[in-house]
Amino acid sequence: MGQPGVELGRLAVLTAGYAVFQTANNTAVMAEVPPDRRGVVSGALGLARNLGLVTGASAMGAVFALAAAAGDVATASPAAVAAATRITFAVAAALVLLALAVAAGGRSRSGAARTTDLTPPRDPAGDGTAARPGTGAQRPGS
């Protein structure tokens, strides 16, 4: 184990990076959701996040246990633990690269179908009703 200050610094950087990612990711997802569906989508985001955390921790624990090749990880040799740690981090890195590729592929496909123009919708009546749900304006799909 490293020095406590170094480990604490690494943990702080990791936590800040995770927080910045989560904020941007949740904002991007929720921006595409109609207001009447935001509660359901928010709940689904929380469920997906928690399932991912639990499943990921379990899967990486299983990878480590298999890579250690010992009946009991607590009695594994230091060399086996080091090898298992390297393999587990290699699997995690491969999964990160796969996730990045999937995200990049999804972004390029959805970017072609969606406009990046952030101007509000046109208001043919000129009274502001096109931008306000529930004031007689038709929503897409209704």
Side-chain angles (χ1 to χ4, degrees):
M1 185 123 189
Q3 298 171 340
V6 172
E7 298 300 324
L8 189 59
R10 290 177 182 166
L11 184 60
V13 168
L14 181 67
T15 302
Y18 181 74
V20 168
F21 166 78
Q22 281 298 114
T23 303
N25 187 53
N26 289 350
T27 300
V29 169
M30 296 301 287
E32 300 292 324
V33 178
D36 62 331
R37 302 249 183 208
R38 286 188 182 149
V40 172
V41 173
S42 177
L45 275 173
L47 176 64
R49 185 181 316 114
N50 286 326
L51 283 175
L53 289 169
V54 170
T55 305
S58 301
M60 289 296 106
V63 167
F64 180 83
L66 288 172
D72 183 10
V73 177
T75 61
S77 70
V81 170
T85 301
R86 282 192 297 275
I87 291 170
T88 303
F89 275 93
V91 168
L95 289 172
V96 166
L97 292 175
L98 177 65
L100 287 171
V102 168
R107 181 175 295 273
S108 66
R109 280 193 300 273
S110 68
R114 182 176 18 154
T115 179
T116 57
D117 185 17
L118 298 177
T119 58
R122 290 196 62 212
D123 185 12
D127 61 359
T129 58
R132 291 188 313 218
T135 57
Q138 289 288 328
R139 271 195 228 151
S142 56

